[in-house]
């Protein structure tokens, strides 16, 4: 914990400078490849939108209707060459509310990512940045900036990830990565406006630094496989205590025959953060065991030690895969192996570090099934994380999604299941189930989730259970209809209060010209709460015109 105020200001002055100047800097050092052919697409855009709301302030008793006018200029820049890729997408949202005395409000929205190759197959640099608006908590949820002022904040992120992937002849393959991410919030986040007692402290700016070192055995080793890894994550906070997650581990596996192998794993976990029971899961861990694979469709692995586990893999057909693991560990953090794998693969993008092992008895599962027209998925995992990491991951997912459709046509809806934004470490258990189905003219997707969170200083508990779906129907060559329902129930374990939120929107979109799209939408939103001031209903109608130039 820092006590010298003068020392605190320096890293965060650098943080803000990087966020303001970082993208041009990365462009200069990462995209200076004029010797290579490249393509550059610059697309100016503009959105004109008119919205009518019958409860513009999301009030429980003093409803006020209003017309809201938007004029939102933007620009999309895509640059690609043999050595680099840049995807820059910016929109300035200008909102005028006829029912308010605040006049014109402006919100910046940015989604940016880049990838540079300095040495092919060896040395790379990734960068990313985002600007968005997020709910501070689940007390009074709002999907966008048009209504619901007073319970949101600006969130800005910027990150760099240089990494090196050497090959040491046939002996070993390496992955060495450093990640630097900054996270800043608006002034509204410094005082959480919630009416739930025992709520976490507000979220603060942070600078996150992580290092990943991985070595895996090469082709020289036939019957023996091994790996070594070191993961370190430091979060430096402008307020409150800093956080450190660190894990070192090594594994060796030898094959007795094509059906059976044995392994030994050992490592050390070293974490620093405040928690309810002051248990960071630190210490040395070991596991020894074996894996039996009677066929390519089935396998079972058993490991015993102070960290023990049982893993069953089932794949009776190519389109169906199911992996389930039960763990009983005395060392490590509450992060599942599936989460660890995901975070390690994305660590250069979001700055997260997976931890091997979870204290206590936990389990995780991942089932996927595919057909020609549908995709099915069910997962359950455990996570030790922070609000900053969750939002960094959300922003990274949005940026990756935007890469497939690189122009912002409307504001991306805010996440409503993130709970309190705070500086505390959060232990989570997460269920997720999703189905998508595609026919000739329709696309249907549904997602159900449950996120059970425990905040490690205040002891606050929150469980968000929800369901959302989308149906898109292209009933004419240039015209589509959509239906988007969404529901979530939030339970506060420390107060026994509950909130229920749902909204449903119905709309039409039409391609007027190749450079112009139109949209009409009607939406109803409703939140009911055990706390009267958090109740509201809103109906709105929206007409918008989107143009490319």
């Amino acid at each position: 914990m820092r006590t010298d105020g003068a020392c605190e200001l320096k890293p965060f002055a650098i943080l803000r400078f990087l966020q303001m100047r970082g993208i041009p800097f990365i462009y200069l050092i990462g995209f200076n490849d004029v010797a290579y052919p490249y393509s550059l697409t610059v697309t100016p855009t503009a959105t004109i939108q008119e919205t009518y709301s019958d409860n513009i302030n999301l009030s429980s008793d003093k409803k006020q209707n209003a017309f809201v006018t938007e004029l939102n200029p933007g620009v999309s820049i895509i640059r690609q060459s043999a050595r680099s890729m840049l995807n820059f997408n910016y929109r300035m949202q200008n909102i005028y509310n006829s029912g308010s005395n605040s006049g014109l409000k402006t919100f910046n929205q940015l989604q940016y990512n880049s990838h540079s190759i300095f040495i092919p197959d060896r040395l790379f640099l990734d960068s990313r940045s985002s600007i968005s608006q997020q709910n501070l908590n689940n007390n009074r949820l709002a999907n966008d900036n048009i209504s619901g002022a007073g319970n949101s904040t600006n969130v800005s992120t910027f990150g760099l990830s240089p990494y090196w992937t050497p090959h040491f002849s046939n002996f070993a393959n390496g992955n060495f990565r450093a990640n630097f991410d900054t996270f800043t919030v608006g002034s509204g986040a410094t005082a959480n406006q919630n009416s739930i007692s025992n709520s976490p402290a507000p979220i603060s700016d942070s600078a996150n630094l992580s290092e990943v070192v991985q070595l895996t055995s090469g082709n020289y080793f036939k019957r023996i496989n091994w790996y070594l890894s070191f993961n370190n994550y430091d979060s430096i906070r402008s307020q409150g205590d800093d956080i450190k997650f660190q894990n070192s581990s090594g594994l060796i596996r030898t094959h007795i025959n094509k059906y059976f192998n044995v392994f030994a794993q050992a490592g050390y976990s070293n974490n620093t953060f405040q928690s309810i029971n002051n248990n960071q899961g630190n210490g040395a861990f070991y596991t020894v065991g074996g894996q039996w694979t009677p066929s390519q469709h089935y396998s079972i692995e058993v490991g015993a030690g102070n960290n023990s586990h049982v893993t069953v893999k089932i794949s009776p057909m190519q389109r169906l895969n199911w992996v389930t693991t039960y763990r009983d560990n005395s060392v490590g953090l509450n992060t599942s192996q599936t989460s660890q794998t995901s975070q390690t693969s994305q660590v250069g993008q979001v700055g997260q570090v997976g931890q091997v092992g979870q204290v206590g008895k936990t389990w995780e599962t991942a089932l996927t099934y595919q057909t020609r027209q549908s995709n099915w998925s069910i997962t359950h995992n455990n996570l030790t994380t922070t609000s900053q990491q969750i939002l960094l991951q959300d922003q990274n997912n949005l940026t990756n999604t935007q890469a497939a459709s690189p122009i912002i046509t409307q504001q991306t809806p805010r996440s409503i299941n993130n709970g309190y934004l705070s500086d505390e470490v959060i232990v989570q258990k997460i269920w997720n189930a999703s189905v998508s189905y595609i026919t000739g003219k329709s696309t249907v997707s549904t997602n159900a989730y449950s996120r059970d969170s425990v905040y490690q200083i205040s002891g606050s508990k929150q469980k968000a259970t929800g369901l959302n779906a989308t149906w898109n129907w292209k009933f004419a060559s240039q015209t589509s209809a959509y239906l988007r329902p969404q529901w979530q129930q939030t339970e506060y374990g420390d107060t026994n209060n509950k909130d229920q939120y749902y909204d449903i929107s119905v709309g039409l979109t039409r391609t007027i010209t190749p450079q112009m799209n139109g949209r009409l939408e009607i939406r109803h939103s409703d939140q009911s709460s055990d706390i009267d001031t958090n109740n509201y209903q809103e109906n709105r109608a929206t007409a918008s015109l989107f143009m490319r130039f």
Side-chain angles (χ1 to χ4, degrees):
M1 182 173 182
R2 299 171 306 278
T3 57
D4 185 350
C7 293
E8 283 185 7
L9 294 177
K10 292 183 180 179
F12 290 95
I14 297 172
L15 180 154
R16 295 187 183 279
F17 175 83
L18 282 172
Q19 287 187 313
M20 291 186 293
R21 305 293 179 87
I23 292 176
F25 173 74
I26 296 306
Y27 181 84
L28 290 175
I29 68 170
F31 292 87
N32 189 19
D33 56 353
V34 293
Y36 294 84
Y38 67 89
S39 63
L40 177 65
T41 304
V42 180
T43 308
T45 64
T47 302
I48 302 172
Q49 181 167 289
E50 189 71 20
T51 300
Y52 170 77
S53 170
D54 67 353
N55 187 8
I56 193 63
N57 297 317
L58 306 184
S59 174
S60 59
D61 51 1
K62 299 179 181 179
K63 294 185 178 181
Q64 181 180 9
N65 57 16
F67 285 93
V68 179
T69 303
E70 292 185 55
L71 177 58
N72 309 324
V75 63
S76 169
I77 302 174
I78 300 175
R79 186 185 189 279
Q80 290 183 311
S81 75
R83 293 183 55 190
S84 63
M85 178 281 299
L86 177 145
N87 186 351
F88 178 94
N89 200 335
Y90 170 77
R91 187 178 83 152
M92 181 173 66
Q93 186 180 28
N94 300 288
I95 299 177
Y96 176 74
N97 180 357
S98 66
S100 171
N101 296 324
S102 59
L104 183 68
K105 289 186 177 181
T106 299
F107 299 93
N108 295 301
Q109 287 140 21
L110 171 69
Q111 294 161 7
Y112 156 83
N113 67 295
S114 72
H115 176 70
S116 302
I117 303 173
F118 291 99
I119 302 176
D121 297 323
R122 290 294 185 271
L123 187 60
F124 310 88
L125 175 67
D126 292 342
S127 65
R128 57 208 167 265
S129 186
S130 68
I131 304 174
S132 65
Q133 292 74 50
Q134 300 292 334
N135 294 307
L136 284 169
N137 50 50
N138 287 348
N139 295 348
R140 187 178 298 174
L141 291 169
N143 259 314
D144 50 40
N145 296 324
I146 295 175
S147 56
N151 192 40
S152 64
T153 186
N154 288 302
V155 174
S156 302
T157 69
F158 175 78
L160 292 175
S161 294
Y163 61 102
W164 177 42
T165 58
H167 302 285
F168 301 101
S169 186
N170 292 324
F171 291 93
N173 301 310
N175 182 13
F176 302 88
R177 185 188 291 265
N179 308 289
F180 176 72
D181 284 277
T182 67
F183 179 96
T184 60
V185 294
S187 58
T190 59
N192 267 342
Q193 299 182 17
N194 58 63
S195 51
I196 304 297
S197 62
N198 200 32
S199 59
I203 195 170
S204 63
D205 297 346
S206 68
N208 305 327
L209 179 64
S210 66
E211 305 87 34
V212 177
V213 178
Q214 295 176 331
L215 285 173
T216 59
S217 56
N219 295 331
Y220 177 82
F221 300 91
K222 302 301 182 182
R223 299 178 66 90
I224 296 177
N225 303 115
W226 57 267
Y227 83 79
L228 298 172
S229 71
F230 171 78
N231 296 326
N232 182 72
Y233 171 86
D234 289 283
S235 181
I236 304 169
R237 307 293 176 80
S238 62
Q239 302 176 21
D241 292 315
D242 298 339
I243 290 174
K244 182 183 187 70
F245 299 149
Q246 188 179 98
N247 187 84
S248 306
S249 66
L251 180 143
I252 185 168
R253 186 185 298 268
T254 182
H255 295 265
I256 307 301
N257 53 47
K258 66 178 182 179
Y259 302 112
F260 188 71
N261 65 76
V262 294
F263 69 89
Q265 182 180 22
Y268 189 83
S269 184
N270 182 23
N271 310 294
T272 304
F273 60 90
Q274 287 187 303
S275 64
I276 301 170
N277 54 15
N278 199 31
N279 181 13
Q280 286 83 26
N282 293 337
F285 61 87
Y286 69 93
T287 307
V288 294
Q291 183 185 61
W292 180 47
T293 308
S295 77
Q296 62 179 348
H297 302 295
Y298 310 97
S299 72
I300 182 169
E301 179 176 291
V302 178
N306 61 351
N307 282 4
S308 58
H309 70 270
V310 177
T311 299
V312 178
K313 296 181 181 180
I314 301 174
S315 181
M317 62 185 74
Q318 186 176 5
R319 295 175 296 176
L320 175 63
N321 293 281
W322 190 8
V323 181
T324 300
T325 299
Y326 171 81
R327 301 181 184 276
D328 187 359
N329 292 347
S330 59
V331 176
L333 293 181
N334 188 36
T335 300
S336 65
Q337 190 67 30
T338 52
S339 299
Q340 178 200 350
T341 303
S342 172
Q343 291 171 17
T344 301
S345 64
Q346 299 174 356
V347 69
Q349 301 169 330
V350 299
Q352 289 185 308
V353 177
Q355 303 297 318
V356 174
Q358 312 110 65
V359 173
K361 297 177 174 64
T362 58
W363 68 283
E364 65 257 13
T365 191
L367 185 151
T368 59
Y369 177 65
Q370 294 180 327
T371 69
R372 290 184 178 181
Q373 294 180 302
S374 65
N375 291 283
W376 304 72
S377 173
I378 299 175
T379 61
H380 172 259
N381 54 50
N382 309 278
L383 199 63
T384 298
T385 187
T386 65
S387 292
Q388 286 90 342
Q389 288 179 314
I390 292 172
L391 290 175
L392 282 168
Q393 180 69 69
D394 288 347
Q395 294 305 308
N396 180 69
N397 289 339
L398 289 176
T399 301
N400 288 341
T401 302
Q402 200 67 37
S405 178
I407 297 177
I408 300 178
T409 59
Q410 56 183 311
Q411 184 187 3
T412 304
R414 302 174 188 172
S415 298
I416 67 172
N417 61 352
N418 284 343
Y420 298 114
L421 300 189
S422 79
D423 277 343
E424 298 190 28
V425 169
I426 310 168
V427 174
Q428 295 185 323
K429 296 179 181 179
I430 304 171
W431 274 100
N432 195 78
S434 62
V435 179
S436 62
Y437 185 81
I438 301 174
T439 65
K441 293 185 177 181
S442 293
T443 301
V444 180
S445 62
T446 62
N447 180 66
Y449 60 87
S450 175
R451 179 177 291 188
D452 199 340
S453 304
V454 180
Y455 293 78
Q456 292 300 290
I457 298 177
S458 63
S460 296
K461 297 179 181 180
Q462 188 174 120
K463 183 176 183 179
T465 305
L467 177 68
N468 55 65
T470 300
W471 173 43
N472 286 299
W473 176 34
K474 190 174 182 179
F475 62 88
S477 61
Q478 303 296 322
T479 308
S480 299
Y482 63 85
L483 174 67
R484 296 172 184 163
Q486 182 175 217
W487 169 85
Q488 177 173 290
Q489 177 176 278
T490 306
E491 302 174 60
Y492 305 90
D494 44 332
T495 62
N496 294 321
N497 290 325
K498 290 183 180 180
D499 294 341
Q500 281 204 71
Y501 171 86
Y502 75 88
D503 70 55
I504 183 168
S505 56
V506 180
L508 289 173
T509 61
R510 180 170 177 81
T511 302
I512 301 171
T513 71
Q515 305 299 320
M516 184 181 299
N517 298 333
R519 180 173 63 96
L520 298 173
E521 181 183 273
I522 298 174
R523 169 181 284 179
H524 172 75
S525 301
D526 185 294
Q527 179 167 311
S528 58
S529 173
D530 291 337
I531 299 175
D532 291 340
T533 54
N534 292 334
N535 294 322
Y536 76 85
Q537 287 187 349
E538 183 200 23
N539 298 293
R540 69 165 65 168
T542 301
S544 59
L545 195 64
F546 173 76
M547 295 165 284
R548 302 176 180 87
F549 302 99

